[in-house]
Each structure stands twice: as C-alpha cells, then as structure tokens.
Amino acid sequence: MSRQPTDVTESELALMQVLWDRGRCSTRQITDLLYDGGGQSQYATVQKLLERLEAKGLVARDRSLFVHTFTADVDRDELIGRRLRAMADKLCGGSLVPILSHLARNKGLTHQERKALRDLIDAPDRPAGKEKSRGR
Amino acid sequence: MGAFLQIALSNAVVAAAAAPLVWLVARVVRRPALTHILWVVVLLKLITPPVWKFPVQLGVEDVPSPAQPAQLSPPRDVDVENPMVANSQVAAANTPETLPPLGATVQPDLPTANRAYTEAPTPVPPVKPGANRWHSWVLSAVEGLWLAGSSLCLVLAVGRMIRFSQTLRYAMPAPSDVQHRADVLACRLGLGAAPGVWLVPGAVCPMLWTVGPSARVLLPRELWRRLDSAQRDAMLLHEIAHYRRKDHWVRWIELAATTLFWWHPACWWARRELREAEEQCCDAWVLWAMPGGFRTYASALIEAVEFISIRADGAPADYAAPPLASGMGQFSHLKRRLVMLKQGNVARALSWGGLAAACGLAAVLLPIAPTVAQSQDPAPKTESVSVAPPQATADPTAPVAANSEPFIQTDGREASNAQYRQTLRKLEAAQRRIDQLTRQLQEAEARIALLGQSGGGSTAYSLIPAPAPQRAPHAPTPYIEPQNNPMSAPALGQPAAPAPNAGATYSPLEVAPDAPNVYYRAANPAPETRSGQALGARPGELSNVPLSNHVHTGRPADQSERLDRIEQQLKSLMDEIHQIRSERGASNDSPRASS
C-alpha cells in the first residue's frame, strides 16, 4: 500500500468513489457510471485516469480476464483523510490563507511534549504559577 | 496606483506602530477577549482606508523648491525632434508669416486659450529627473511585486477553499444524536441551533468550516471514537464557541489583511496573537459551559493533539514537522492554554471596559493616516501640481518668457519620460490651436480675396476674425530667413507701405494690380474663394494675405489704433521669439535629446 502522500485530482477522486462504491469495475463500467453512457473520448479519459491512479498505487488492475478490471487499492477514509489533512494544514493558523477555526493547530507534538502537557494537567493545582512562568 | 501605495503604506506604518502597543497591553491586562479585539482592530486598520490624514514630515529631501518649477516651455524646445512639429516647421518654412506669430498673436486677445496652452499640461517639474525616474522605477517595481504577491495569495486561498469544499463532499453528516447533542450545547452557549456537525476521515483537528452556504463543525471520526462523552461535549463546545464568537468573520478579515499585506510582519504577528487569544476565549467559554470540566477538557485537548500527531499508519510518531514549522511554538502555546485553563479565571467575553478600550483604539487608529509617503515619490508630484499652475498664470502677458526662463535652468539636464510626454501634450495643444487659427485665417483670407475681386470690401471687414488681421504685419520680421523662401519675399516689402497708408481708403481693385504677387495664393483658387468657401484651402495658402488688404479693407476709425496695438504686440513677440531661438540654439541637446 502506498504511503506517500499522493495528491489526487478531483476527477480522479470521483473515479475512486465509483471504485469504492462498486468494488471491482471495468473501464467501460466506470465510464458508463461517470458519464452516463459516454462515448469513446470519455472512455479514453477514464482509461487515462485509471492509468494515472494505478501509477500512484491507488488502484489495482486485474489482468487475469480479457477485460481488465480495477479495484481501489486504498481505503477511502485514508485517502480522503489524507487529503483533508493536507488541505486543513494549508488552511489553518500558520498558513498563508487561514480560514479554519480549529481546536489546536494541526502541527503535531513530539512525544516528550505531549508527556509534559499531560503532566501539567495531572499536576496538583499549586505549581500552576511555576509552570506559567516557565511557559512564558 | 500611487494612491493605493500611499494608503497601503500609511496603513502599514500605523499598524506596525500599533502592534507593539497592543502586544504590551495584552501582556499587562491578560484578558484574551480584550487582546483578541485589539488585534482585530490592528488587522482592520490594515484593510480599511483612512479618512483623516495628518502630515508627518519624514525627510522631505528631494522635494523641489517651488521657486524653481522649471517648466518646459511647450513647443519650442521639443519641436526639433517631434515629427508633428517638424511638419509645422515645414509649414512655417512655406509660409513664414503665418505660423510663428500665430501662437503669439493670440496671446493678448485670447488669454484663456493661451493659458490653457501654456499651463494645462505642466504638472511635473523636472526636478532631479534622474532621481525621479529611478524613484518611479522602484515604485512601480514595488507595486508590481506587491500586487503580484497579493494576487498569488488570493488565488491560493480561493483554490484551497474550493478544493477543501470539494473534499468535504466525501465527508458525511454526524449521526442525529451527535447533532442533537450539539444543539443542546449550542443552547447552553446562547445559540438557537448548532451548526451542522460532520464527521470526517483523516487525522485532522476538530474545526469550524464556514466557507459555503452553511457553517459546519468538522470532527475527525477516529478521534470522536476515542473520546468519552464528556470529552466529546468539551470538543463540541469549543467549536460551537468559535461559532458563537463569530470567529469565522475574523477569518475573513485575516484573509483580507494577509492577502493585501502578505509581506507585513505586523499582519502575521497580529494573526498569531489573535489566534491564541481566540482559542483562550473559547477555552473560557467551554469552562463556563461545563463548570469543573478542566480535566476533561484538557485531556480532550491533549487527545486531539495526540491524534493529529499520529501518522496515518497508526504509529505514534514524532511528527515530522517541516524545518520552519513552529513545533515548539505549538507546544508553548498549548501549555499556556492549559495553564490558563487550570487557573480558570479567564473572562470569556469582553467586559464593558474592554469594549470601550477597543472602540477607543479603533476610533484613534482607523481614521488616521500619516502622510509618510512624502518621502516617497508621489508627494513631489502632488506638490508640483499645486505649484506649477500659479507659475503659469502668474504672468499671462508674457508666458513665453516665463516658460523659457526656467527652461534654461534645466538645460542639459536629463528629462524624465513624464516630462517628455507632457511636452508632447503641450505641443499637441499648440498644434490644435494653430490649426484653429489657421482655419480662421483662411476664412478671413477668402473673404478678403472675395472683396478684392468683387470690390465690396467694406462689409467684409467685420467678418474677419480678430486674430487674422493681426498676423499679417508680422511677416517682415526676419526670424524665418525670408530670403530662403520666395513666398515671403513679397510680403517683406510690405510693411513700409501699409503704415503710411493706414488711413487711406484703397479700393481692393486698386491694390490688385499694384501688387500682383500679393494675391498669388488667394487669387489662384479663385472659384473657391469666389464662393466664399475657402475653408478647405490648404494651410499654406492662408498666410499670403497682403498687408495692404488689412489696411484698406479696414474702414472704421479705430483702425490705426488697432494697427498700433498689433505692432506693439508683434514687437514684443518677436523679441521673445528671438530669445527662444537663441536659447534653442544653445540648448538643442537639452531634455528630449537625452530621454
């Protein structure tokens, strides 16, 4: 399974959606679903998109039959989530175009930092002032 | 263009001055709500045009002293190279009596036209033309860069918003019980209903998305699954508090400010501080809505941060932050929040005093604009605009001299492009004027010719436009080398004749045989002139009106007086023209040659 944060275009995403919904599909089936009985050019488009997705490792091609069939090779939530995450990072606080109000910045924390924060919560109330002065 | 730069720069300066002030106040007062609103005011200052300008003299070094406006004298110095004027020079060569005096003779009779002619296109004084050009070059480069950056920001923003919205199509609304819970919590915060709650895949933070038709609270499904119900409430409360505080409006202000002032550190600073204050406010709201919920909320917060620190493959990781990412900033930021939460005494909303302070700051900050741009280029321009016209109008009787005098001072200097264009405009105006006068003259000539042939001269005089008769006496003056031009030869001999004959009443019929060469032009197109429609005649034909014509066609008693006046004017004009010519000879390499 590919782990690189491959970027997916909108039309590729639509195609993936078909694969996620239907499972195994041939190019012709996808074309019919996406373009409602599209012609040869649409068929070629879908073919091209499938090739691209296959190159990105998001789609698996089954060559055992005369008509090649395709299946999604990536979990839907994973792909969408990755995409959302990438977009959200770009739309959050430190970015050029912030438009999201969010709970915390999407930047992660290291293990030590998380532990320090947990300690802070669990610490009794008194040392708060000390923590504060260190936090400044 | 210049106005944009001026307003934007003054806003940038004011915001840059206000930002440290706001920061200090925030450190001292420690009220997130107040801090938030103050930073919003700073951002607002950036994006709203000021209404009141107060001058701040900041190093006004190269602004020219008004005493040396150094206007270009309109046509005289430039016509050497200007094709249009070259034409007129050709015309002048053909008809020496005509063109040079034209602009001049008009002067006393048509002061307004004359003023328009000399004054209208004079705004930019060629002070330090080199520096001027350098300045304008830098200015336009800066402006171009600025606007390019802004456009890039805008394109990025719109593109990302669209893509995010598109991706959100693959998210799904939360189950109805979650939505119901959100509504209940929204009621607690004083809202009628909560925004729609959506569960999304992926390791994202809970967030509020307000682009598009309706606001949505986006919750990562995975995180949602991990939290207990109290933590879920806390998280929902936080996002709804954003909505309740109308932070999504602030997002648009932020976006506008960032788009316009992407280079401005104060803008980014304000944004960062604003965000922090905003989160602290929301934290305060959450704690207010669920008293004693510090531990719950804090643990939910850390859970969320941990969640987004986890890679997609499920392995907890030291989040691979890009080099410039503020991982440490995030940590201290979170820590500060937690500490504030723990103290639990943060006011969630603005007090009346805070509101008054914010309004006061806004009232002071928003309208003002120091005109700092005086050290920039636009200022000299505007100043010169106000300076030049009085100069031009100061001496309406001798504008040529007034113009030519400063021109000597600029002699040899490099002229800016603006200057050049200005001169061109002046030239065009002059040319138009000349054309107009030429037409009038033609008309007059046609009438005279008609009179000369029909013998009914007495009625025609009144129809001759004022400028036309004045021009004829001009002919004898030597500035156009009449010897070179056969046309001018006959006219040269004229001046002596008309003067003594001023009072005499010639009949046109008498004159015609006396001075046959006098009519060579006007008489040739006889059919045309006979019909009195000489308007179509070529410009070259107009100047050959014999002086005697003016004399003997003018019957009224004020004729000699008029003639005297004309002669006077001519004298002064010729002097001026001589002067200009000598100047031009001396300064032929002046402004335009170098630009």
Side-chain angles (χ1 to χ4, degrees), chain A residues 3 7-18 20 76-136, chain B residues 27 30 153 156-157 160-161 163-164 166-170 172 200-209 211 221 235 238-239 242 247 251-252 254-255 258 268 271 275 278-279 294-295 297-299 301-306 308-309 313 317-319 325-328 330-339 342-343:
Chain A
R3 286 275 166 239
D7 201 16
V8 185
T9 66
E10 195 56 27
S11 46
E12 286 170 349
L13 208 54
L15 203 149
M16 290 300 293
Q17 179 69 41
V18 172
W20 284 322
R76 170 196 164 115
D77 279 4
E78 190 193 329
L79 185 64
I80 301 293
R82 214 154 59 192
R83 197 173 141 101
L84 271 182
R85 168 66 182 268
M87 298 307 306
D89 280 352
K90 286 176 184 166
L91 288 167
C92 278
S95 91
L96 196 61
V97 283
I99 206 62
L100 280 168
S101 307
H102 54 101
L103 185 74
R105 265 180 264 176
N106 265 1
K107 293 274 176 290
L109 293 178
T110 63
H111 184 66
Q112 292 87 345
E113 286 170 342
R114 275 175 276 157
K115 187 164 181 310
L117 289 180
R118 282 206 179 279
D119 291 346
L120 175 60
I121 302 175
D122 296 334
D125 279 358
R126 283 303 91 197
K130 193 178 134 216
E131 285 290 342
K132 187 177 119 191
S133 60
R134 234 199 297 152
R136 280 282 145 242
Chain B
R27 292 296 110 156
R30 292 188 174 281
C153 279
L156 269 182
R160 285 174 181 177
M161 280 187 247
R163 286 198 62 189
F164 195 79
Q166 282 174 343
T167 312
L168 279 185
R169 275 195 242 133
Y170 298 92
M172 51 192 72
V200 297
V204 292
C205 233
M207 51 199 167
L208 180 68
W209 177 250
V211 180
R221 200 183 302 140
M235 198 160 297
H238 180 98
E239 298 309 323
H242 273 304
D247 285 334
R251 290 291 88 76
W252 294 112
E254 265 183 24
L255 187 62
T258 315
W268 291 80
R271 266 178 45 178
R275 288 292 182 120
E278 193 176 295
E279 300 300 333
F294 161 69
R295 229 161 265 270
Y297 179 50
S299 64
L301 208 55
I302 293 192
E303 198 72 46
V305 172
E306 240 163 40
I308 58 171
S309 305
D313 53 9
D318 286 349
Y319 186 74
S326 51
M328 206 47 218
Q330 161 82 334
F331 173 67
S332 60
H333 168 80
L334 263 176
K335 196 161 143 186
R336 198 147 52 223
R337 273 174 77 180
L338 288 179
V339 169
K342 200 163 191 174
Q343 289 169 339

Side-chain angles (χ1 to χ4, degrees), chain B residues 280-306:
Chain B
Q280 288 167 357
C281 283
C282 286
D283 292 347
W285 273 98
V286 172
L287 280 199
W288 172 81
M290 42 189 301
F294 161 69
R295 229 161 265 270
T296 312
Y297 179 50
S299 64
L301 208 55
I302 293 192
E303 198 72 46
V305 172
E306 240 163 40

Side-chain angles (χ1 to χ4, degrees), chain A residues 3-109:
Chain A
R3 286 275 166 239
Q4 72 264 36
T6 43
D7 201 16
V8 185
T9 66
E10 195 56 27
S11 46
E12 286 170 349
L13 208 54
L15 203 149
M16 290 300 293
Q17 179 69 41
V18 172
L19 289 181
W20 284 322
D21 288 347
R22 298 285 172 130
R24 184 173 297 271
C25 282
S26 70
T27 310
R28 171 50 67 188
Q29 283 170 318
I30 296 173
T31 311
D32 288 348
L33 279 169
L34 281 182
Y35 296 102
D36 196 18
Q40 191 57 38
S41 60
Q42 273 103 359
Y43 182 87
T45 305
V46 169
Q47 215 165 21
K48 191 76 208 160
L49 286 174
L50 280 170
E51 275 170 27
R52 241 187 272 162
L53 284 171
E54 194 187 2
K56 285 176 182 175
L58 302 175
V59 155
R61 184 194 293 258
D62 182 2
R63 298 169 192 269
S64 59
L65 299 171
F66 174 68
V67 175
H68 291 186
T69 56
F70 299 86
T71 48
D73 202 11
V74 65
D75 184 44
R76 170 196 164 115
D77 279 4
E78 190 193 329
L79 185 64
I80 301 293
R82 214 154 59 192
R83 197 173 141 101
L84 271 182
R85 168 66 182 268
M87 298 307 306
D89 280 352
K90 286 176 184 166
L91 288 167
C92 278
S95 91
L96 196 61
V97 283
I99 206 62
L100 280 168
S101 307
H102 54 101
L103 185 74
R105 265 180 264 176
N106 265 1
K107 293 274 176 290
L109 293 178

